[in-house]
C-alpha cells in the first residue's frame, strides 16, 4: 500500500497522456513492474505476494486516485496471475519460468468464443471485445463455450490461454471513458489450444477442485473465480470517486465564485453535497471491501459459499460501483463550469466512473434479478458460478 500510495502523484501527472495514448503507458507499466504491484495475487512459489483477496480492492483503489485507467489494468492484468495459478502446473511453469513478470490479458465474454473438443485439446475461433491492456501482454485468457457435435449444444466452458502470436488485435477502442485501458478486440481463427491451457471453469467454483491445486493450495486459491470476478475491476470506480472527492474539496478550500466573489466553501448547498459524496464513497468502500473479505473468510476455513451467498456478495459489490458513480456525479453537480474543461481532472473521473458502470458485471438489474430469484426459491442457472 505504501508503494501504491507513493506513485499516485506520478500516475495523476500522466493521466491525460495515458488517455491520449489510449493504452497502458509503457512508462507506467515499467513503474508498476518496478514496484511489483502487478504481482499481489501471484503465488509465492513463483515470487508473488499471494496477498489476501481484499488486496485487489485496496491496491487498485489507491492507484485509481491518480489514474483510473492505469488502476483498471493493474486490477485486470494483476488478477490474471491469480487465475493462472488455477491452471495445470505445467502451464504455470511454461509461462512464469520464462518471465515471472509476464502480463496476461483476457476477455471473459463466453458467448464470443466457440470451441470444439479434439484430440489433446480444442479448436477455438472467435472475436472478443474489451481485452484491456492487450498491447502490453504476451498472453490472453479467452473465454470459450465448447459445443457438442451438433454445433449448437453447449457442453463445457473454458478459459483458454493463448500466446500473442495466435491472435490478432483489432483497434476498436475509441471510448468516452476509461480511455487509457486500451480495451481492444481480439480475433482468433481456428487455432489449437492444448488441454492444459484450457481451464475448466466449472472446476473453479470454490475449493481445490481445479488442476492448479497441486501447486497452490492456500486460501487465496480456494476462492471462486467467476463469483468474485467483479472485484478486481470495481475498485477502479471506488478509487476514481476518492480521487474526485480529494480534487473537489481541495479546490473548494480556496475557490471564490466567479460572479459573486463569495467563498464557495461557505455555501450550505455545497457543504451538504460534499457530505453526501463522502458518505457515498465510504459506503461503497465498506461494501466492496467487506464482500471481498467475506470471500477470504470462507477460503480461510476451507469452505465454499453457497449460490445465494455468492450472488449476495456480487450485488454488494455492484451497488458499491453505482455508489461510486453517484458520488462523482454529486460532486460534479456543485463544481460549476470549471468541470467542463478538459484540463480539469473531474471530467475524467466522471467519464471513467460512468464508463465502468456500463460493464456487464456492474449492471445491478442483472445481478439483482439473479439474487432475487434465488433468495425467493427460484432457479438460477450459471454453470460457472
Amino acid at each position: 500500500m505504501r508503494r501504491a500510495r507513493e506513485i499516485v502523484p506520478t500516475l495523476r501527472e500522466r493521466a491525460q497522456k495515458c488517455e491520449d495514448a489510449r493504452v497502458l503507458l509503457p512508462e507506467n507499466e515499467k513503474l508498476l513492474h518496478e514496484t511489483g504491484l502487478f504481482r499481489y495475487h501471484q503465488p509465492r512459489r513463483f515470487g508473488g505476494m499471494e496477498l489476501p483477496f481484499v488486496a485487489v480492492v485496496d491496491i487498485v483503489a489507491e492507484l485509481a486516485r491518480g489514474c483510473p485507467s492505469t488502476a483498471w489494468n493493474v486490477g485486470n492484468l494483476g488478477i490474471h496471475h491469480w487465475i493462472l495459478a488455477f491452471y495445470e502446473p505445467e502451464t504455470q511453469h511454461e509461462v512464469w519460468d520464462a518471465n515471472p513478470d509476464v502480463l496476461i490479458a483476457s476477455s471473459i465474454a463466453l458467448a464470443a468464443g466457440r470451441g470444439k473438443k479434439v484430440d489433446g485439446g480444442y479448436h477455438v475461433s472467435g472475436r472478443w471485445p474489451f481485452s484491456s491492456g492487450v498491447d502490453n501482454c504476451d498472453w490472453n485468457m479467452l473465454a470459450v463455450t465448447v459445443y457438442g457435435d451438433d454445433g449448437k449444444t453447449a457442453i463445457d466452458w473454458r478459459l483458454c490461454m493463448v500466446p500473442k502470436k495466435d491472435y490478432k488485435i483489432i483497434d476498436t477502442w475509441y471510448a468516452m471513458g476509461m480511455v487509457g485501458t486500451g480495451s481492444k478486440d481480439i480475433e482468433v481463427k481456428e487455432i489449437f489450444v492444448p488441454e492444459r491451457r484450457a481451464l475448466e471453469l466449472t472446476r473453479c467454483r470454490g475449493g481445490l477442485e481445479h488442476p492448479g491445486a497441486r501447486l497452490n493450495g492456500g486460501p487465496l486459491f480456494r476462492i471462486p473465480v467467476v463469483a468474485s470476478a467483479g472485484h478486481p475491476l470495481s475498485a477502479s470506480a471506488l478509487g476514481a470517486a476518492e480521487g474526485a472527492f480529494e480534487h473537489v474539496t481541495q479546490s473548494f478550500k480556496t475557490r471564490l465564485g466567479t460572479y459573486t466573489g463569495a467563498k464557495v466553501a461557505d455555501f450550505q448547498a455545497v457543504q451538504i453535497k460534499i457530505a453526501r459524496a463522502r458518505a457515498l464513497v465510504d459506503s461503497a468502500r465498506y461494501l466492496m471491501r467487506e464482500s471481498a473479505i467475506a470471500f477470504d473468510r470462507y477460503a480461510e476455513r476451507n469452505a465454499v459459499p453457497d449460490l445465494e451467498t455468492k450472488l449476495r456478495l456480487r450485488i454488494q459489490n455492484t451497488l458499491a460501483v453505482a455508489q461510486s458513480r453517484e458520488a462523482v456525479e454529486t460532486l460534479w453537480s456543485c463544481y460549476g463550469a470549471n468541470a467542463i474543461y478538459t484540463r480539469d481532472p473531474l471530467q475524467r473521473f466522471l467519464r471513467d466512473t460512468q464508463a465502468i458502470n456500463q460493464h456487464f458485471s456492474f449492471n445491478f438489474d442483472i445481478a439483482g434479478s439473479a439474487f432475487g430469484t434465488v433468495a425467493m426459491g427460484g432457479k438460477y442457472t450459471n454453470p460457472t458460478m
Side-chain angles (χ1 to χ4, degrees):
M1 288 301 293
R2 176 184 55 76
R3 279 178 274 154
R5 193 172 302 116
E6 286 174 350
I7 69 171
V8 167
T10 301
L11 298 182
R12 185 182 294 125
E13 182 182 324
R14 295 174 179 170
Q16 186 59 53
K17 183 180 179 182
C18 184
E19 179 158 286
D20 293 342
R22 298 186 300 113
V23 295
L24 173 61
L25 291 173
E27 56 264 45
N28 282 354
E29 180 191 337
K30 182 174 183 290
L31 180 61
L32 291 160
H33 281 311
E34 290 171 348
T35 55
L37 289 172
F38 282 119
R39 299 173 69 179
Y40 48 85
H41 281 168
Q42 187 181 34
R44 287 194 191 96
R45 67 170 57 243
F46 291 102
M49 302 181 202
E50 201 173 317
L51 297 175
F53 185 69
V54 70
V56 73
V57 173
D58 293 337
I59 292 170
V60 172
E62 186 68 27
L63 296 173
R65 292 170 45 232
C67 179
S69 284
T70 299
W72 176 279
N73 275 324
V74 174
N76 194 46
L77 305 184
I79 207 68
H80 298 149
H81 280 298
W82 174 60
I83 297 176
L84 180 55
F86 287 68
Y87 281 74
E88 292 283 352
E90 184 182 352
T91 303
Q92 296 181 47
H93 280 289
E94 174 188 18
V95 176
W96 280 323
D97 287 355
N99 179 10
D101 279 312
V102 69
L103 295 182
I104 305 163
S106 73
S107 179
I108 59 172
L110 277 164
R114 293 183 62 89
K116 181 180 180 181
K117 186 75 175 78
V118 295
D119 288 344
Y122 301 87
H123 280 157
V124 171
S125 295
R127 178 166 171 168
W128 293 260
F130 307 119
S131 189
S132 300
V134 65
D135 290 296
N136 304 74
C137 296
D138 293 325
W139 293 82
N140 212 310
M141 291 177 172
L142 299 174
V144 172
T145 300
V146 180
Y147 293 90
D149 293 337
D150 62 3
K152 298 177 181 178
T153 305
I155 60 172
D156 201 356
W157 298 266
R158 298 273 172 160
L159 195 59
C160 295
M161 277 282 290
V162 178
K164 197 166 191 171
K165 65 180 178 61
D166 285 350
Y167 57 82
K168 178 182 179 183
I169 300 173
I170 304 170
D171 188 1
T172 54
W173 193 241
Y174 294 88
M176 56 77 70
M178 300 303 287
V179 182
T181 62
S183 302
K184 300 173 181 178
D185 284 15
I186 297 299
E187 187 174 49
V188 163
K189 293 184 177 179
E190 280 301 313
I191 64 166
F192 173 74
V193 178
E195 179 77 31
R196 62 182 177 79
R197 289 192 197 156
L199 180 64
E200 188 177 356
L201 288 172
T202 55
R203 295 178 65 185
C204 302
R205 294 179 291 192
L208 295 175
E209 296 181 11
H210 57 85
R214 282 175 282 162
L215 283 183
N216 309 303
L220 181 62
F221 309 108
R222 302 172 196 161
I223 292 173
V225 170
V226 174
S228 64
H231 284 80
L233 304 179
S234 63
S236 292
L238 174 61
E242 192 72 70
F245 183 86
E246 293 167 359
H247 173 71
V248 171
T249 52
Q250 191 63 33
S251 173
F252 280 179
K253 287 178 181 178
T254 57
R255 185 187 293 184
L256 301 177
T258 305
Y259 293 97
T260 65
K263 191 176 181 182
V264 172
D266 290 339
F267 295 162
Q268 187 181 53
V270 170
Q271 296 163 353
I272 292 169
K273 286 184 181 291
I274 291 295
R276 179 173 180 80
R278 182 68 266 170
L280 283 165
V281 176
D282 290 345
S283 176
R285 185 177 296 276
Y286 181 83
L287 277 176
M288 201 176 292
R289 291 194 83 250
E290 286 300 310
S291 53
I293 289 169
F295 281 118
D296 276 324
R297 287 174 178 156
Y298 272 98
E300 284 164 4
R301 61 177 188 265
N302 201 20
V304 179
D306 60 21
L307 180 59
E308 182 175 339
T309 301
K310 289 177 180 177
L311 294 171
R312 182 179 180 181
L313 297 176
R314 187 168 72 172
I315 60 169
Q316 291 174 1
N317 188 54
T318 302
L319 183 62
V321 174
Q323 289 177 322
S324 299
R325 185 205 70 237
E326 185 182 346
V328 180
E329 291 172 346
T330 300
L331 294 165
W332 169 273
S333 72
C334 68
Y335 193 70
N338 281 294
I340 68 173
Y341 288 109
T342 55
R343 66 172 181 259
D344 196 300
L346 183 60
Q347 51 78 31
R348 189 184 312 110
F349 285 127
L350 178 73
R351 289 185 289 106
D352 286 349
T353 51
Q354 289 177 334
I356 293 169
N357 270 260
Q358 295 302 107
H359 195 286
F360 175 85
S361 297
F362 308 129
N363 185 312
F364 193 85
D365 289 349
I366 294 173
S369 175
F371 171 77
T373 296
V374 173
M376 294 185 289
K379 187 176 181 180
Y380 169 77
T381 302
N382 181 340
T384 66
M385 282 286 284

